[in-house]
């Protein structure tokens, strides 16, 4: 694997999950792989888990890490091709990206959907520019339409906690005060479709995810029905895709609460975090023993390390890494 921008980059997902469990058993067993190698983490947006887990993962492999918070520390970067740069952006990604690439062996990049236009976000312009111009492997740390490092940790968490081979996994929309990207939800669906789990997505009308992510996945508009018999409840807000970037509902009747969890098959509660308590999920649920959100977050280190390990191993086998 050279780049990691979606589940499609993983040659064998079953093997990757097995590898994640190997890594979890002894995360310091591959320190030699990253010796004298450097990862740069580029953030266009805020981060807590991704920042810490990815750095920790790189360090577990013996790598050095450098972090660039573009909005705070760097030049304001232009991404549009052909733009006349007489505004407030002094540097273009066309220079910034290859320069960053000269100082490292792997780049991680976080660049959320900007909600200016669906076409712009869904073209993944920024992420693609990193892949095209950096000259080194690129790891998505959440791009406009996907958050694959999160989804890999979600999958490993479900594998850890499932009590049957084919659990019923329910992705539920939940209310939120801000318009959030579809990336986590898109990616979760994309990864779950690679398994043989029973996947159900529930949301109010108008919140349908992009068809290329949903395929033939079942949508159940009645949240109560969707929860029946569920083994995992994954809550997440996203803004509308059809009415792109808009908030169509703030309906608190979609908040995940104790009563709804009681209708499930003793389901585990999941969320990628950060989570708005008593908006997305009640204190009663997230503080209960059903909640695995902290373990899920802890698995971010494990799966990020698995991804970096795969990239380093690929480069060792002759795939080009810096110089
Ligand atoms: C991001 C999102 O894509 O939904 C990152 C999730 C890993 N979430 C937020 O930006 C939440 C911000 C908020 O105001 O609650």
């Amino acid at each position: 694997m050279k780049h990691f921008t979606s589940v499609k980059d993983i040659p064998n997902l079953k093997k990757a999950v097995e590898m994640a469990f190997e890594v979890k058993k002894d995360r310091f067993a591959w320190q030699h792989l990253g010796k004298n190698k450097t990862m740069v983490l580029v953030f266009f947006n805020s981060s807590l888990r991704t920042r810490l887990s990815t750095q920790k993962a790189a360090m577990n492999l013996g790598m050095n890490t450098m972090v660039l918070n573009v909005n705070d520390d760097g030049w304001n970067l232009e991404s549009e091709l052909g733009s006349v740069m007489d505004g407030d952006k002094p540097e273009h990604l066309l220079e910034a990206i290859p320069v960053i690439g000269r100082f490292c062996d792997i780049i991680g990049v976080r660049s959320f959907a900007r909600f200016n236009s669906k076409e712009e976000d869904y073209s993944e312009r920024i992420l693609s520019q990193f892949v095209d111009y950096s000259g080194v492997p690129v790891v998505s740390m959440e791009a406009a339409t996907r958050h694959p490092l999160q989804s890999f940790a979600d999958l490993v968490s479900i594998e850890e906690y499932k009590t049957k081979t084919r659990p019923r996994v329910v992705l539920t929309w939940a209310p939120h005060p801000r318009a959030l990207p579809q990336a986590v939800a898109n990616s979760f669906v994309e990864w779950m479709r690679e398994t043989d789990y029973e996947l159900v997505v529930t949301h109010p009308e108008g919140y349908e995810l992009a068809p290329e992510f949903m395929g033939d996945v079942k949508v159940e508009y009645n949240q109560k029905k969707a929860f029946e018999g569920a083994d995992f409840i994954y809550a997440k807000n996203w803004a509308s895709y059809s009415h792109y970037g808009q908030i169509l509902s703030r309906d608190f009747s979609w908040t995940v609460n104790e009563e709804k969890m009681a209708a499930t098959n003793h389901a585990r509660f999941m969320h990628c975090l950060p989570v708005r308590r008593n908006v997305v999920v009640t204190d009663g649920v997230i503080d209960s023993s059903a909640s695995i959100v902290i373990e899920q977050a802890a698995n971010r280190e494990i799966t990020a390390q698995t991804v970096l390990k795969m990239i380093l191993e690929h480069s060792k086998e002759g795939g080009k890494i810096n110089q």
Side-chain angles (χ1 to χ4, degrees):
M1 182 168 72
K2 176 153 189 203
H3 304 289
F4 179 69
T5 63
S6 94
V7 69
K8 308 279 183 244
D9 291 320
I10 296 196
N12 184 328
L13 188 56
K14 205 165 174 280
K15 277 202 180 134
V17 170
E18 282 166 17
M19 177 58 67
F21 284 111
E22 287 296 305
V23 166
K24 195 158 184 170
K25 266 190 249 152
D26 182 5
R27 63 196 75 184
F28 303 112
W30 294 273
Q31 287 250 316
H32 58 283
L33 271 181
K35 191 172 183 303
N36 294 337
K37 300 220 183 306
T38 299
M39 177 166 190
V40 170
L41 292 85
V42 182
F43 289 97
F44 289 86
N45 311 95
S46 310
S47 171
L48 186 151
R49 275 149 293 279
T50 300
R51 178 187 303 268
L52 297 180
S53 61
T54 312
Q55 279 192 77
K56 180 64 164 51
M59 293 189 293
N60 291 349
L61 290 164
M63 300 186 86
N64 300 305
T65 64
M66 299 192 286
V67 178
L68 180 65
N69 298 309
V70 175
N71 298 334
D72 306 335
D73 311 339
W75 299 109
N76 197 358
L77 298 174
E78 179 62 68
S79 64
E80 203 151 324
L81 297 178
S83 75
V84 178
M85 290 173 60
D86 59 354
D88 62 346
K89 295 179 177 161
E91 179 154 18
H92 204 288
L93 282 175
L94 289 172
E95 283 77 49
I97 293 171
V99 168
I100 296 169
R102 290 300 187 97
F103 299 137
C104 64
D105 303 279
I106 301 181
I107 297 181
V109 58
R110 162 162 288 195
S111 172
F112 287 176
R114 296 178 172 186
F115 286 141
N116 292 328
S117 92
K118 181 191 284 188
E119 290 66 33
E120 185 186 315
D121 287 341
Y122 275 68
S123 75
E124 289 288 10
R125 187 171 75 209
I126 305 238
L127 182 66
S128 312
Q129 290 189 0
F130 273 87
V131 168
D132 291 344
Y133 305 130
S134 69
V136 296
V138 172
V139 174
S140 165
M141 301 194 300
E142 186 171 343
T145 64
R146 292 180 175 88
H147 192 359
L149 283 176
Q150 178 66 51
S151 312
F152 193 6
D154 299 339
L155 173 58
V156 165
S157 304
I158 293 173
E159 283 297 296
E160 270 182 327
Y161 282 92
K162 73 180 187 185
T163 53
K164 55 166 84 114
T165 48
R166 196 165 175 263
R168 178 173 165 94
V169 177
V170 178
L171 170 65
T172 181
W173 180 91
H176 199 284
R178 292 177 54 210
L180 297 187
Q182 290 109 26
V184 170
N186 284 344
S187 221
F188 184 72
V189 169
E190 189 169 52
W191 283 65
M192 290 300 110
R193 286 177 65 192
E194 297 287 326
T195 70
D196 58 3
Y197 305 159
E198 181 190 352
L199 175 64
V200 179
V201 180
T202 182
H203 55 69
E205 288 197 31
Y207 280 95
E208 291 76 12
L209 292 166
E212 66 259 38
F213 285 100
M214 284 298 283
D216 56 5
V217 171
K218 188 174 167 201
V219 178
E220 172 55 74
Y221 290 98
N222 182 332
Q223 192 194 35
K224 197 164 181 263
K225 267 199 194 151
F227 274 45
E228 279 167 21
D231 299 296
F232 292 89
I233 298 294
Y234 195 107
K236 183 72 185 86
N237 169 269
W238 61 88
S240 174
Y241 174 74
S242 54
H243 297 73
Y244 195 64
Q246 289 181 29
I247 298 178
L248 307 179
S249 164
R250 287 194 169 84
D251 186 355
F252 271 47
S253 75
W254 280 80
T255 303
V256 178
N257 62 21
E258 295 91 313
E259 188 194 329
K260 290 176 194 172
M261 289 300 286
T264 66
N265 179 32
H266 306 286
R268 299 293 191 162
F269 175 78
M270 300 177 72
H271 190 280
C272 62
L273 306 180
V275 69
R276 304 279 188 136
R277 281 174 174 253
N278 302 310
V279 178
V280 170
V281 58
T282 60
D283 286 340
V285 171
I286 196 164
D287 291 333
S288 76
S289 58
S291 172
I292 59 168
V293 296
I294 306 300
E295 282 311 309
Q296 186 186 348
N299 278 332
R300 295 290 308 278
E301 174 186 344
I302 304 306
T303 49
Q305 187 176 339
T306 307
V307 166
L308 296 180
K309 178 175 176 290
M310 287 166 76
I311 290 173
L312 290 171
E313 280 168 346
H314 171 82
S315 75
K316 238 182 133 195
E317 286 159 14
K320 195 174 164 293
I321 206 157
N322 209 359
Q323 273 105 45

